[in-house]
């Protein structure tokens, strides 16, 4: 039996969650069972009540707001424990067209991909500002370089994961999971695909984009941190080449303008400092590259532990029991408190 779980991160989504859930499918060709899961990120409104009224199968709850990245991973964990073969992630603001879910999971069903990212028509989305559209392209370009993939819309949150791919995910960034998971998948050699999807009308402002300057700042920091984590040798090589090259140019200038009666010592000292900084950054890159090998070994160990812990249940219906309580809501329903 092939089970698909659609997970939705939620933070005060009372106004839009009902609309989003009303469009989610319960029957999909090639899937035997479709279940819904929401991750309540410390909502203070009626998000949970709306979810229960709409027949959500699993509810994962946090007492306080944890942020999108942690909520995403909590949903992945709960979906794996519930026996999901495929996990689809979508947003509670109904941004993505739920009718495209069959198209999204098709590459996983036919075995050509383990992770699929929905490609939005960015240029046609009216409520995206020009600055945000540019950043979307920039972020996707950096991710393509760091991951060796060809995903055109890396920040898209409408995506599908196979069970095997979901078990290998780790998110260290606290801001968002979208860019990092693609880079991880590329580094691990997973087959990644992209399919064009449709978007729905604008219902509410983005929770991640509170202001364009803040979005730019956090996006740049996120991209740099991800690039530093997963491509340390390349990152520090580029960073070290800049001062090293400037130092060499200053040395050449010093030699060209050299006069016996004018030593030009300050220029030579600055050149030496820049060259030294360049060498130090290169050394940082080598050390970080060696450390990344240890991270890969730890990820292999973690994958083995997850495969053992998330062994598929034998029975068709299974309640997922964790540190929280288990609540029945028409079908096997899970509520995890933290």
């Amino acid at each position: 039996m092939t089970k698909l779980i659609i997970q939705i991160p939620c933070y005060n989504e009372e106004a839009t969650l009902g609309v989003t859930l009303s469009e989610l499918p319960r029957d999909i060709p090639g899937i035997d069972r479709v279940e819904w899961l929401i991750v309540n990120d410390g909502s203070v409104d009626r998000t949970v009540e709306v979810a229960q009224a709409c027949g959500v199968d699993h509810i994962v709850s946090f007492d306080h707001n944890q942020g999108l990245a942690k909520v995403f991973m909590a949903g992945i964990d709960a979906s794996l424990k519930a026996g999901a073969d495929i996990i689809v992630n979508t947003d509670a603001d109904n941004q993505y067209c739920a009718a495209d879910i069959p198209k999204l999971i098709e590459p996983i069903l036919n075995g050509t991909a383990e992770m699929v990212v929905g490609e939005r028509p960015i240029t046609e989305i009216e409520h995206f500002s020009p600055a945000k559209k540019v950043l979307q392209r920039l972020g996707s370009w950096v991710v393509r370089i760091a991951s060796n993939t060809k995903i055109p819309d890396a920040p898209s949150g409408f995506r599908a994961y196979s069970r095997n791919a979901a078990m290998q995910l780790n998110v260290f960034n606290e801001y968002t999971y979208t860019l990092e998971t693609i880079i991880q998948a590329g580094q691990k050699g997973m087959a990644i695909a992209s399919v064009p999807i449709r978007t729905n009308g604008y219902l509410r402002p983005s929770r991640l984009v509170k202001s364009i300057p803040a979005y730019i700042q956090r996006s740049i920091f996120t991209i740099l941190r991800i690039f530093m984590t997963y491509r340390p040798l390349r990152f520090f090589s580029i960073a070290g080449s800049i001062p090293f090259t400037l130092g060499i140019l200053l040395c050449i200038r010093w030699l060209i303008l050299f006069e016996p009666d004018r030593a030009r010592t300050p220029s030579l000292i600055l050149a030496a400092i820049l060259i030294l900084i360049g060498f130090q950054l290169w050394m940082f890159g080598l050390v970080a590259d060696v450390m990344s090998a240890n991270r890969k070994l730890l990820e292999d160990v973690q994958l083995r532990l997850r495969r053992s812990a998330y062994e598929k249940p034998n029975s068709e219906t299974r309640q997922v029991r964790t540190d929280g309580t288990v609540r029945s809501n028409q079908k096997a329903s899970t509520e995890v408190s933290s």
Side-chain angles (χ1 to χ4, degrees):
M1 184 184 76
T2 302
K3 179 188 285 188
L4 167 69
I5 293 184
I6 305 172
Q7 71 169 39
I8 308 176
C10 296
Y11 178 59
N12 294 335
E13 303 290 359
E14 174 187 351
T16 61
L17 183 59
V19 177
T20 302
L21 292 173
S22 67
E23 297 189 5
L24 293 185
R26 279 295 189 182
D27 296 299
I28 298 177
I31 301 296
D32 299 303
R33 187 182 181 93
V34 178
E35 296 179 358
W36 303 343
L37 178 148
I38 72 159
V39 187
N40 172 36
D41 191 16
S43 300
V44 295
D45 62 358
R46 297 180 62 256
T47 294
V48 173
E49 288 82 352
V50 171
Q52 291 172 338
C54 293
V56 168
D57 303 275
H58 310 279
I59 300 175
V60 181
S61 290
F62 288 97
D63 294 332
H64 306 286
N65 182 255
Q66 301 291 319
L68 181 59
K70 188 169 183 178
V71 165
F72 168 78
M73 286 305 300
I76 292 292
D77 180 72
S79 296
L80 289 171
K81 288 179 179 178
D85 297 289
I86 301 175
I87 302 171
V88 169
N89 186 87
T90 188
D91 287 352
D93 62 356
N94 201 40
Q95 174 186 174
Y96 306 108
C97 182
D100 287 335
I101 290 179
K103 183 195 302 184
L104 190 71
I105 66 173
E106 183 177 354
I108 296 178
L109 288 175
N110 61 31
T112 59
E114 291 187 272
M115 175 177 173
V116 185
V117 181
E119 178 189 355
R120 296 167 294 178
I122 298 294
T123 57
E124 301 175 10
I125 301 178
E126 297 180 356
H127 63 272
F128 277 15
S129 67
K132 185 174 180 180
K133 291 179 181 179
V134 170
L135 284 172
Q136 298 277 9
R137 296 191 188 97
L138 175 62
S140 298
W141 175 74
V142 173
V143 170
R144 286 196 294 272
I145 294 176
S147 63
N148 289 326
T149 62
K150 298 180 180 180
I151 302 300
D153 186 12
S156 172
F158 192 48
R159 47 183 67 190
Y161 304 90
S162 69
R163 184 175 181 83
N164 179 62
M167 285 187 181
Q168 300 182 60
L169 293 180
N170 289 293
V171 178
F172 305 106
N173 190 305
E174 297 180 357
Y175 182 52
T176 182
Y177 63 90
T178 54
L179 309 183
E180 189 171 358
T181 50
I182 293 176
I183 294 176
Q184 279 187 13
Q187 292 288 306
K188 295 176 185 296
M190 296 183 195
I192 311 175
S194 175
V195 297
I197 57 152
R198 296 165 291 175
T199 56
N200 297 318
Y202 179 71
L203 293 182
R204 65 159 174 79
S206 172
R207 298 281 167 76
L208 286 178
V209 187
K210 299 182 188 281
S211 68
I212 293 300
Y215 179 72
I216 293 174
Q217 179 182 355
R218 299 198 71 168
S219 295
I220 292 175
F221 178 77
T222 299
I223 291 170
L224 288 176
R225 184 177 179 183
I226 291 173
F227 200 62
M228 190 186 307
T229 301
Y230 293 98
R231 289 291 190 186
L233 187 59
R234 179 180 294 187
F235 176 84
F236 284 105
S237 295
I238 296 173
S241 297
I242 296 173
F244 181 84
T245 303
L246 291 175
I248 293 296
L249 291 175
L250 279 176
C251 286
I252 295 174
R253 176 181 178 275
W254 183 85
L255 290 173
I256 293 174
L257 301 178
F258 175 75
E259 298 178 9
D261 57 333
R262 298 181 62 186
R264 299 181 184 272
T265 304
S267 178
L268 193 60
I269 292 175
L270 177 60
I273 292 174
L274 290 173
I275 291 174
L276 181 60
I277 291 174
F279 270 115
Q280 287 179 329
L281 289 173
W282 287 343
M283 292 302 102
F284 290 157
L286 290 174
V287 173
D289 190 58
V290 172
M291 292 177 64
S292 68
N294 292 329
R295 175 177 54 80
K296 293 176 182 178
L297 290 175
L298 291 173
E299 288 177 347
D300 289 341
V301 173
Q302 182 189 56
L303 177 59
R304 292 176 182 270
L305 292 174
R306 282 180 172 174
R307 283 176 174 166
S308 176
Y310 298 149
E311 185 177 358
K312 285 274 291 180
N314 294 324
S315 58
E316 182 175 347
T317 302
R318 175 176 180 250
Q319 292 189 359
V320 184
R321 189 176 298 277
T322 63
D323 293 335
T325 58
V326 179
R327 176 181 300 176
S328 297
N329 184 37
Q330 295 180 350
K331 298 181 182 178
S333 173
T334 307
E335 182 167 341
V336 182
S337 299
S338 66

